[in-house]
Amino acid sequence: MSKSQWSTVSHTIEDHIAWVRFDRPEKRNAMNPTLNREMAELLDSIEFRDDVGVLVLSGAGEAWSAGMDLKEYFRETEAKGFGATRRAQRDAYTWWRRLRWYQKPTIAMVNGWCFGGGYGPLFACDLAFAAEDAKFGLSEINWGILPGGGATKVATELLSMRDAMYHALTGELIDGRKAAEWRLVNEAVPPAQLEARVREVANVLLQKNPVALKATKDAVRRVREMTYENAEDYLIRAQEAANSFDNNGRKEGIKQFIDDKSYKPGLGAYDKSKRR
Ligand code: COA
């Protein structure tokens, strides 16, 4: 774990998984300007490391993240004026955007409270697993603002219009089970099994071709905004671009199936260790 360099975030790298944590448990991991800057630095420092194949984002203590820090992110930056407010917003949005398009696949491991601004990094992660007793809320309406910082967009991207509207207008909490039912997360599991389940999924991803993983995660996000025709064209170009980075992996995948008959792509990944 490296907490020396940063005061509000921490991480451990183990078996090719980077376990990254919001680490302000005493403030329920609320995102203040320091955390936003430090998280950007941390993500940047590990993105292209060969010993990192998957990134997991979780929270220290009982929260995932209690959203934006009402005191330091809102009140204190607003008191400093327009420039400080815009700078604070930029620092937050920048690391979420960076995470949306991260080189490695990312998993949100939601261990506890997840509020408001927390929906930005939640959506930025490619997959999300929650403890059944984790609590999610668009609490903005409870303190008199709209769900900004992308939170409304996240709700409408992931939830049905009726659920998004109910969630945003009432500010009511939902638990991990309901979040899975609403498709805000992939799955909810008993708290004691959360880490093991996330590790299991991460290990599945680690078996795959990393160039294909990056191309695929970007494609899933990109094509959502495209017409069918544009998506077809984009996917051809994206695969051709991926080939220029890793043509051998793809050829090896075909060879192990067609020539060696050593695996079936419908049932699992080819053996990357035999790659030429
Ligand atoms: N902004 C600033 N400070 C926050 C915070 C936030 N979003 N969330 C928690 N904190 C601080 C509290 O002020 C408290 O600080 P203190 O110890 O100096 O008094 C500390 O974190 C612990 O919070 P507390 O409320 O005592 O913990 P709890 O476990 O009883 O309740 C929550 C947890 C998350 C339900 C509650 O803290 C809360 O409602 N937070 C705000 C959530 C929110 O609306 N976020 C949306 C922002 S867009």
Side-chain angles (χ1 to χ4, degrees), residues 123-204:
F123 178 66
C125 288
D126 302 319
L127 300 171
F129 293 80
E132 286 174 346
D133 61 358
K135 296 282 190 296
F136 297 79
L138 288 182
S139 53
E140 286 87 342
I141 198 75
N142 292 338
W143 61 281
I145 68 165
L146 61 78
T152 299
K153 178 67 175 159
V154 173
T156 57
E157 283 284 308
L158 298 181
L159 311 182
S160 74
M161 188 275 210
R162 292 289 177 219
D163 290 338
M165 193 66 90
Y166 188 89
H167 201 46
L169 287 179
T170 66
E172 276 177 24
L173 290 173
I174 60 170
D175 66 10
R177 282 192 202 86
K178 180 67 97 180
E181 196 185 302
W182 280 8
R183 311 311 296 139
L184 191 55
V185 298
N186 291 89
E187 279 175 36
V189 296
Q193 292 165 27
L194 181 60
E195 191 175 315
R197 176 64 183 131
V198 167
R199 194 183 295 274
E200 187 178 56
V201 175
N203 283 331
V204 170

Coordinates of all heavy atoms in Angstrom, one line a residue, residues 123-204:
F123 N -20.1 5.2 -12.8 CA -20.3 5.0 -14.2 C -19.0 4.9 -15.0 O -19.0 4.2 -16.0 CB -21.1 6.2 -14.7 CG -21.4 6.1 -16.2 CD1 -22.3 5.2 -16.7 CD2 -20.9 7.1 -17.1 CE1 -22.6 5.1 -18.1 CE2 -21.2 7.0 -18.4 CZ -22.0 6.1 -18.9
A124 N -18.0 5.5 -14.5 CA -16.7 5.5 -15.2 C -16.1 4.1 -15.2 O -15.4 3.7 -16.1 CB -15.7 6.5 -14.6
C125 N -16.5 3.3 -14.1 CA -15.9 1.9 -14.1 C -16.7 1.1 -15.1 O -18.0 1.2 -15.2 CB -16.1 1.4 -12.7 SG -14.9 2.1 -11.5
D126 N -16.0 0.2 -15.7 CA -16.7 -0.7 -16.8 C -17.7 -1.6 -16.1 O -18.8 -1.8 -16.7 CB -15.6 -1.5 -17.5 CG -14.6 -0.6 -18.1 OD1 -15.0 0.5 -18.7 OD2 -13.4 -0.9 -18.1
L127 N -17.4 -2.2 -15.0 CA -18.3 -3.1 -14.3 C -18.5 -2.6 -12.9 O -17.6 -1.8 -12.4 CB -17.7 -4.5 -14.3 CG -17.4 -5.1 -15.7 CD1 -16.6 -6.4 -15.5 CD2 -18.7 -5.4 -16.4
A128 N -19.6 -3.0 -12.3 CA -19.8 -2.6 -10.9 C -20.4 -3.7 -10.1 O -21.4 -4.3 -10.5 CB -20.7 -1.4 -10.8
F129 N -19.9 -4.0 -8.9 CA -20.4 -5.0 -8.0 C -20.6 -4.3 -6.6 O -19.7 -3.6 -6.2 CB -19.4 -6.2 -7.9 CG -19.3 -6.9 -9.2 CD1 -18.5 -6.5 -10.2 CD2 -20.1 -8.1 -9.4 CE1 -18.5 -7.1 -11.4 CE2 -20.0 -8.8 -10.6 CZ -19.2 -8.3 -11.6
A130 N -21.7 -4.6 -6.0 CA -22.0 -4.0 -4.8 C -22.3 -5.0 -3.7 O -22.8 -6.1 -3.9 CB -23.3 -3.1 -4.9
A131 N -22.0 -4.6 -2.4 CA -22.5 -5.4 -1.3 C -24.0 -5.2 -1.2 O -24.5 -4.1 -1.6 CB -21.9 -4.8 0.0
E132 N -24.7 -6.3 -0.8 CA -26.1 -6.2 -0.8 C -26.6 -5.1 0.1 O -27.7 -4.5 -0.1 CB -26.7 -7.5 -0.3 CG -26.6 -8.6 -1.4 CD -27.0 -10.0 -0.8 OE1 -27.1 -10.2 0.4 OE2 -27.3 -10.9 -1.7
D133 N -25.8 -4.8 1.1 CA -26.3 -3.7 2.1 C -25.7 -2.3 1.8 O -25.8 -1.4 2.6 CB -26.0 -4.1 3.5 CG -24.5 -4.3 3.8 OD1 -23.7 -4.2 2.8 OD2 -24.1 -4.6 4.9
A134 N -25.0 -2.2 0.6 CA -24.5 -0.9 0.2 C -25.7 0.0 0.0 O -26.8 -0.5 -0.3 CB -23.6 -1.0 -1.0
K135 N -25.5 1.3 0.2 CA -26.6 2.3 0.0 C -26.3 3.3 -1.1 O -25.2 3.9 -1.0 CB -26.9 3.0 1.3 CG -27.4 2.0 2.4 CD -28.8 1.7 2.3 CE -29.4 1.0 3.5 NZ -28.7 -0.3 3.8
F136 N -27.2 3.5 -2.0 CA -27.0 4.4 -3.1 C -28.1 5.5 -3.0 O -29.3 5.2 -2.8 CB -27.2 3.7 -4.5 CG -26.2 2.6 -4.7 CD1 -26.3 1.3 -4.2 CD2 -25.2 2.8 -5.6 CE1 -25.4 0.3 -4.4 CE2 -24.2 1.8 -5.9 CZ -24.4 0.6 -5.3
G137 N -27.7 6.7 -3.3 CA -28.7 7.8 -3.3 C -28.3 9.0 -4.1 O -27.1 9.4 -4.1
L138 N -29.3 9.6 -4.8 CA -29.1 10.9 -5.4 C -29.6 11.9 -4.4 O -30.8 12.3 -4.4 CB -29.8 11.0 -6.8 CG -29.2 10.2 -7.9 CD1 -29.9 10.4 -9.2 CD2 -27.7 10.6 -8.1
S139 N -28.8 12.2 -3.4 CA -29.2 13.0 -2.3 C -29.3 14.5 -2.6 O -29.7 15.3 -1.7 CB -28.3 12.7 -1.1 OG -26.9 13.0 -1.6
E140 N -28.9 14.9 -3.8 CA -28.8 16.3 -4.1 C -30.2 17.0 -3.7 O -30.2 18.1 -3.1 CB -28.5 16.5 -5.6 CG -27.0 16.3 -5.9 CD -26.7 14.8 -6.2 OE1 -27.6 13.9 -5.9 OE2 -25.7 14.5 -6.8
I141 N -31.3 16.4 -4.1 CA -32.6 17.0 -3.9 C -32.8 17.2 -2.4 O -33.5 18.2 -2.1 CB -33.7 16.1 -4.5 CG1 -35.0 16.9 -4.7 CG2 -33.9 14.8 -3.7 CD1 -35.0 17.8 -5.9
N142 N -32.2 16.4 -1.6 CA -32.4 16.6 -0.1 C -31.7 17.8 0.4 O -32.0 18.3 1.5 CB -31.8 15.4 0.6 CG -32.7 14.1 0.3 OD1 -33.8 14.2 -0.1 ND2 -32.1 13.0 0.5
W143 N -30.7 18.3 -0.3 CA -30.0 19.5 0.2 C -30.2 20.7 -0.7 O -29.5 21.7 -0.6 CB -28.6 19.3 0.7 CG -27.6 18.8 -0.3 CD1 -27.4 17.6 -0.8 CD2 -26.6 19.6 -1.0 NE1 -26.4 17.5 -1.7 CE2 -25.9 18.8 -1.8 CE3 -26.2 21.0 -0.9 CZ2 -24.8 19.2 -2.6 CZ3 -25.2 21.4 -1.7 CH2 -24.5 20.5 -2.6
G144 N -31.1 20.5 -1.7 CA -31.5 21.7 -2.5 C -30.8 22.0 -3.8 O -30.8 23.1 -4.2
I145 N -30.2 20.9 -4.4 CA -29.6 21.2 -5.8 C -30.1 20.0 -6.7 O -30.7 19.1 -6.2 CB -28.1 21.3 -5.8 CG1 -27.4 19.9 -5.5 CG2 -27.6 22.4 -4.8 CD1 -25.9 19.9 -5.8
L146 N -29.8 20.2 -8.0 CA -30.1 19.1 -8.9 C -28.9 18.2 -8.9 O -27.8 18.6 -8.6 CB -30.4 19.6 -10.3 CG -29.4 20.4 -11.1 CD1 -28.3 19.6 -11.7 CD2 -30.1 21.2 -12.2
P147 N -29.1 16.9 -9.3 CA -27.9 16.0 -9.4 C -27.0 16.4 -10.6 O -27.2 16.0 -11.7 CB -28.5 14.6 -9.7 CG -30.0 14.8 -9.4 CD -30.3 16.2 -9.7
G148 N -26.0 17.2 -10.2 CA -25.0 17.7 -11.3 C -23.8 16.8 -11.4 O -23.8 15.7 -10.9
G149 N -22.8 17.4 -11.9 CA -21.5 16.6 -12.1 C -21.7 15.3 -12.8 O -21.0 14.3 -12.5
G150 N -22.7 15.3 -13.7 CA -22.9 14.1 -14.5 C -23.9 13.1 -13.9 O -24.3 12.2 -14.5
A151 N -24.3 13.3 -12.6 CA -25.1 12.3 -11.9 C -26.4 12.1 -12.6 O -26.9 10.9 -12.7 CB -25.3 12.7 -10.4
T152 N -27.1 13.1 -13.1 CA -28.3 12.9 -13.8 C -28.1 12.1 -15.0 O -28.9 11.3 -15.4 CB -29.0 14.3 -14.1 OG1 -29.2 15.0 -12.9 CG2 -30.3 14.1 -14.9
K153 N -27.0 12.4 -15.7 CA -26.7 11.7 -17.0 C -26.5 10.2 -16.7 O -27.0 9.3 -17.4 CB -25.5 12.3 -17.6 CG -25.0 11.7 -18.9 CD -26.0 11.8 -20.0 CE -25.5 11.3 -21.3 NZ -26.6 11.0 -22.3
V154 N -25.7 10.0 -15.6 CA -25.5 8.6 -15.2 C -26.8 7.8 -14.9 O -27.0 6.7 -15.4 CB -24.6 8.5 -14.0 CG1 -24.4 7.1 -13.5 CG2 -23.2 9.1 -14.3
A155 N -27.7 8.5 -14.2 CA -28.9 7.9 -13.8 C -29.7 7.5 -15.1 O -30.3 6.4 -15.2 CB -29.7 8.8 -12.9
T156 N -29.8 8.5 -16.0 CA -30.6 8.2 -17.2 C -29.9 7.2 -18.2 O -30.5 6.6 -19.0 CB -30.9 9.5 -18.0 OG1 -29.7 10.2 -18.3 CG2 -31.8 10.4 -17.1
E157 N -28.6 7.2 -18.1 CA -27.8 6.2 -19.0 C -28.1 4.8 -18.5 O -28.2 3.8 -19.2 CB -26.3 6.4 -18.9 CG -25.8 7.6 -19.7 CD -25.8 7.3 -21.2 OE1 -25.2 6.2 -21.6 OE2 -26.3 8.1 -22.0
L158 N -28.1 4.6 -17.1 CA -28.2 3.3 -16.6 C -29.6 2.8 -16.2 O -29.8 1.6 -16.2 CB -27.2 3.2 -15.4 CG -25.7 3.4 -15.7 CD1 -24.9 3.3 -14.4 CD2 -25.2 2.4 -16.7
L159 N -30.4 3.7 -15.8 CA -31.7 3.3 -15.2 C -32.8 3.6 -16.2 O -32.6 4.4 -17.2 CB -32.1 4.1 -14.0 CG -31.0 4.2 -12.9 CD1 -31.5 5.0 -11.7 CD2 -30.6 2.8 -12.4
S160 N -34.0 3.0 -16.0 CA -35.1 3.4 -16.9 C -35.5 4.8 -16.5 O -35.2 5.3 -15.5 CB -36.3 2.5 -16.6 OG -36.9 2.8 -15.3
M161 N -36.3 5.5 -17.4 CA -36.7 6.9 -17.2 C -37.5 7.0 -15.9 O -37.3 7.9 -15.1 CB -37.5 7.4 -18.4 CG -37.8 8.8 -18.3 SD -39.2 9.2 -17.4 CE -39.8 10.6 -18.2
R162 N -38.4 6.0 -15.6 CA -39.2 6.1 -14.4 C -38.3 5.9 -13.2 O -38.5 6.7 -12.2 CB -40.3 5.0 -14.5 CG -41.3 5.2 -15.5 CD -42.2 6.4 -15.2 NE -43.2 6.6 -16.2 CZ -43.6 7.8 -16.6 NH1 -43.1 8.9 -16.1 NH2 -44.5 7.9 -17.6
D163 N -37.4 5.0 -13.2 CA -36.6 4.8 -12.0 C -35.6 6.0 -11.8 O -35.4 6.4 -10.7 CB -35.8 3.5 -12.2 CG -36.6 2.2 -12.0 OD1 -37.7 2.3 -11.4 OD2 -36.3 1.2 -12.5
A164 N -35.1 6.5 -12.9 CA -34.2 7.6 -12.8 C -34.9 8.8 -12.2 O -34.4 9.5 -11.3 CB -33.6 8.0 -14.2
M165 N -36.1 9.0 -12.7 CA -36.9 10.2 -12.2 C -37.3 10.0 -10.7 O -37.1 11.0 -9.9 CB -38.2 10.3 -13.1 CG -38.9 11.6 -12.9 SD -38.0 13.0 -13.5 CE -38.6 13.1 -15.2
Y166 N -37.7 8.8 -10.3 CA -38.0 8.6 -8.9 C -36.8 8.8 -8.0 O -36.9 9.4 -7.0 CB -38.6 7.1 -8.8 CG -39.2 6.8 -7.4 CD1 -40.5 7.1 -7.1 CD2 -38.4 6.3 -6.4 CE1 -41.0 6.8 -5.9 CE2 -38.9 6.1 -5.2 CZ -40.2 6.3 -4.9 OH -40.7 6.1 -3.6
H167 N -35.7 8.2 -8.5 CA -34.5 8.2 -7.7 C -34.0 9.7 -7.5 O -33.7 10.1 -6.4 CB -33.4 7.5 -8.5 CG -32.2 7.0 -7.8 ND1 -32.3 6.4 -6.6 CD2 -30.9 7.0 -8.0 CE1 -31.1 6.0 -6.1 NE2 -30.2 6.4 -7.0
A168 N -34.1 10.5 -8.6 CA -33.6 11.9 -8.5 C -34.6 12.8 -7.8 O -34.1 13.7 -7.1 CB -33.4 12.4 -9.9
L169 N -35.9 12.6 -7.9 CA -36.9 13.5 -7.3 C -37.1 13.2 -5.8 O -37.4 14.1 -5.1 CB -38.2 13.4 -8.0 CG -38.3 14.0 -9.4 CD1 -39.7 13.8 -10.0 CD2 -38.0 15.5 -9.3
T170 N -37.0 11.9 -5.4 CA -37.2 11.6 -4.0 C -36.0 11.6 -3.1 O -36.1 11.8 -1.9 CB -37.9 10.2 -3.9 OG1 -36.9 9.2 -4.3 CG2 -39.1 10.1 -4.7
G171 N -34.8 11.4 -3.7 CA -33.6 11.3 -2.9 C -33.6 10.1 -2.0 O -32.8 10.0 -1.1
E172 N -34.5 9.1 -2.2 CA -34.6 7.9 -1.4 C -33.4 7.0 -1.6 O -32.9 6.9 -2.8 CB -35.9 7.1 -1.7 CG -37.1 7.7 -1.0 CD -38.4 6.9 -1.3 OE1 -38.3 5.7 -1.8 OE2 -39.4 7.5 -1.2
L173 N -33.0 6.4 -0.6 CA -31.9 5.4 -0.7 C -32.4 4.1 -1.3 O -33.5 3.7 -1.1 CB -31.3 5.1 0.6 CG -30.5 6.2 1.3 CD1 -30.1 5.8 2.7 CD2 -29.2 6.5 0.5
I174 N -31.5 3.5 -2.1 CA -31.8 2.1 -2.5 C -30.6 1.3 -2.0 O -29.4 1.8 -1.9 CB -32.0 1.9 -4.0 CG1 -30.8 2.4 -4.8 CG2 -33.2 2.6 -4.5 CD1 -30.8 2.0 -6.3
D175 N -30.8 0.0 -1.8 CA -29.7 -0.8 -1.3 C -29.0 -1.5 -2.5 O -29.5 -1.4 -3.7 CB -30.1 -1.8 -0.2 CG -31.1 -2.9 -0.7 OD1 -31.3 -3.0 -1.9 OD2 -31.6 -3.6 0.2
G176 N -28.0 -2.3 -2.3 CA -27.3 -3.0 -3.3 C -28.2 -3.9 -4.2 O -28.0 -4.0 -5.4
R177 N -29.1 -4.6 -3.5 CA -30.0 -5.5 -4.2 C -30.8 -4.7 -5.2 O -30.9 -5.1 -6.4 CB -30.9 -6.2 -3.2 CG -30.2 -7.4 -2.5 CD -31.3 -8.2 -1.8 NE -30.8 -8.9 -0.7 CZ -30.6 -8.4 0.5 NH1 -31.0 -7.2 0.8 NH2 -30.1 -9.1 1.5
K178 N -31.4 -3.6 -4.8 CA -32.2 -2.8 -5.6 C -31.4 -2.2 -6.8 O -31.8 -2.1 -7.9 CB -32.9 -1.7 -4.8 CG -33.8 -0.8 -5.6 CD -35.1 -1.5 -6.1 CE -36.3 -1.3 -5.3 NZ -37.5 -2.0 -5.8
A179 N -30.2 -1.8 -6.4 CA -29.3 -1.2 -7.4 C -29.0 -2.2 -8.5 O -28.9 -1.9 -9.7 CB -28.0 -0.8 -6.8
A180 N -28.9 -3.5 -8.2 CA -28.6 -4.6 -9.2 C -29.9 -4.8 -10.0 O -29.9 -4.9 -11.2 CB -28.2 -5.9 -8.5
E181 N -31.1 -4.7 -9.3 CA -32.3 -4.9 -10.0 C -32.5 -3.8 -11.0 O -33.0 -4.0 -12.1 CB -33.4 -4.9 -8.9 CG -34.8 -5.4 -9.4 CD -35.8 -5.1 -8.2 OE1 -35.5 -5.6 -7.1 OE2 -36.7 -4.4 -8.4
W182 N -32.1 -2.5 -10.6 CA -32.3 -1.4 -11.5 C -31.2 -1.3 -12.5 O -31.1 -0.4 -13.3 CB -32.3 -0.1 -10.7 CG -33.6 0.2 -10.0 CD1 -34.7 -0.5 -10.0 CD2 -33.9 1.4 -9.3 NE1 -35.7 0.1 -9.3 CE2 -35.2 1.3 -8.8 CE3 -33.2 2.6 -9.0 CZ2 -35.9 2.3 -8.1 CZ3 -33.8 3.6 -8.3 CH2 -35.1 3.5 -7.8
R183 N -30.2 -2.2 -12.4 CA -29.0 -2.2 -13.4 C -28.0 -1.1 -13.2 O -27.3 -0.7 -14.1 CB -29.4 -2.3 -14.8 CG -30.5 -3.4 -15.1 CD -30.2 -4.7 -14.6 NE -29.0 -5.3 -15.1 CZ -28.1 -6.0 -14.4 NH1 -28.2 -6.2 -13.1 NH2 -27.0 -6.6 -15.0
L184 N -28.1 -0.5 -12.0 CA -27.0 0.5 -11.6 C -25.7 -0.2 -11.4 O -24.6 0.4 -11.6 CB -27.5 1.3 -10.3 CG -26.7 2.5 -9.9 CD1 -26.7 3.6 -11.0 CD2 -27.4 3.1 -8.6
V185 N -25.8 -1.4 -11.0 CA -24.6 -2.3 -10.9 C -24.9 -3.6 -11.5 O -26.0 -4.0 -11.7 CB -24.2 -2.5 -9.4 CG1 -23.8 -1.2 -8.7 CG2 -25.3 -3.2 -8.6
N186 N -23.8 -4.4 -11.8 CA -24.0 -5.7 -12.4 C -24.6 -6.7 -11.5 O -25.5 -7.4 -11.8 CB -22.6 -6.3 -12.8 CG -22.1 -5.5 -14.0 OD1 -21.3 -4.6 -13.8 ND2 -22.4 -5.9 -15.2
E187 N -24.1 -6.7 -10.2 CA -24.6 -7.7 -9.2 C -24.5 -7.2 -7.8 O -23.6 -6.3 -7.6 CB -23.6 -8.9 -9.3 CG -23.8 -9.9 -10.3 CD -22.7 -11.0 -10.3 OE1 -22.3 -11.4 -9.2 OE2 -22.3 -11.4 -11.4
A188 N -25.3 -7.7 -7.0 CA -25.1 -7.4 -5.5 C -24.8 -8.8 -4.9 O -25.5 -9.8 -5.2 CB -26.4 -6.8 -4.9
V189 N -23.9 -8.8 -4.0 CA -23.5 -10.0 -3.3 C -23.4 -9.8 -1.8 O -23.2 -8.6 -1.4 CB -22.2 -10.6 -3.8 CG1 -22.3 -11.0 -5.3 CG2 -21.0 -9.6 -3.6
P190 N -23.5 -10.8 -1.0 CA -23.3 -10.6 0.5 C -22.0 -9.9 0.7 O -21.0 -10.2 0.1 CB -23.4 -12.0 1.1 CG -24.1 -12.8 0.1 CD -23.8 -12.2 -1.3
P191 N -22.0 -9.0 1.7 CA -20.8 -8.2 1.9 C -19.5 -9.0 2.1 O -18.4 -8.7 1.5 CB -21.1 -7.4 3.2 CG -22.5 -7.4 3.3 CD -23.1 -8.6 2.6
A192 N -19.6 -10.2 2.8 CA -18.4 -11.0 3.0 C -17.9 -11.6 1.8 O -16.7 -12.1 1.7 CB -18.8 -12.1 4.1
Q193 N -18.7 -11.7 0.7 CA -18.3 -12.3 -0.5 C -17.9 -11.3 -1.6 O -17.5 -11.7 -2.7 CB -19.4 -13.2 -1.1 CG -19.6 -14.4 -0.2 CD -21.0 -15.1 -0.6 OE1 -21.5 -15.0 -1.7 NE2 -21.6 -15.7 0.4
L194 N -18.0 -10.0 -1.3 CA -17.8 -9.0 -2.3 C -16.4 -9.0 -2.9 O -16.3 -9.1 -4.2 CB -18.1 -7.6 -1.7 CG -18.0 -6.4 -2.7 CD1 -19.0 -6.6 -3.9 CD2 -18.2 -5.1 -2.0
E195 N -15.4 -9.0 -2.1 CA -14.1 -9.0 -2.6 C -13.7 -10.3 -3.4 O -13.1 -10.2 -4.5 CB -13.1 -8.8 -1.5 CG -11.7 -8.5 -2.0 CD -10.7 -8.2 -0.9 OE1 -11.0 -7.5 0.1 OE2 -9.6 -8.7 -1.0
A196 N -14.2 -11.4 -2.9 CA -13.9 -12.7 -3.6 C -14.6 -12.7 -5.0 O -14.0 -13.1 -6.0 CB -14.4 -13.8 -2.8
R197 N -15.8 -12.1 -5.1 CA -16.5 -12.1 -6.4 C -15.8 -11.2 -7.4 O -15.7 -11.5 -8.5 CB -18.0 -11.7 -6.1 CG -18.8 -11.5 -7.4 CD -19.0 -12.9 -8.1 NE -19.7 -12.7 -9.4 CZ -19.3 -13.2 -10.6 NH1 -18.2 -13.9 -10.7 NH2 -20.0 -13.0 -11.6
V198 N -15.4 -10.0 -6.8 CA -14.7 -9.1 -7.7 C -13.4 -9.7 -8.2 O -13.0 -9.5 -9.4 CB -14.5 -7.7 -7.0 CG1 -13.5 -6.8 -7.7 CG2 -15.8 -7.0 -6.8
R199 N -12.7 -10.3 -7.3 CA -11.4 -11.0 -7.7 C -11.6 -12.0 -8.8 O -10.9 -12.1 -9.7 CB -10.8 -11.6 -6.5 CG -9.3 -12.0 -6.6 CD -8.8 -12.7 -5.4 NE -8.8 -11.9 -4.2 CZ -7.8 -11.1 -3.9 NH1 -6.7 -11.0 -4.6 NH2 -7.8 -10.3 -2.8
E200 N -12.7 -12.8 -8.6 CA -13.1 -13.8 -9.6 C -13.3 -13.2 -11.0 O -12.8 -13.7 -12.0 CB -14.3 -14.5 -9.1 CG -14.8 -15.7 -9.9 CD -16.1 -16.3 -9.2 OE1 -17.1 -15.6 -9.0 OE2 -16.0 -17.5 -8.9
V201 N -14.0 -12.1 -11.0 CA -14.3 -11.4 -12.3 C -13.0 -10.8 -12.9 O -12.7 -10.9 -14.1 CB -15.4 -10.3 -12.1 CG1 -15.6 -9.6 -13.4 CG2 -16.7 -11.0 -11.7
A202 N -12.2 -10.2 -12.0 CA -11.0 -9.6 -12.4 C -10.1 -10.7 -13.1 O -9.4 -10.5 -14.1 CB -10.3 -9.0 -11.3
N203 N -10.1 -11.9 -12.5 CA -9.3 -13.0 -13.0 C -9.8 -13.5 -14.3 O -9.0 -13.9 -15.2 CB -9.2 -14.1 -12.0 CG -8.2 -13.8 -10.8 OD1 -7.2 -13.1 -11.0 ND2 -8.5 -14.3 -9.7
V204 N -11.1 -13.4 -14.6 CA -11.6 -13.8 -15.9 C -11.0 -12.8 -16.9 O -10.5 -13.1 -18.0 CB -13.1 -13.7 -15.9 CG1 -13.7 -13.8 -17.3 CG2 -13.7 -14.9 -15.0

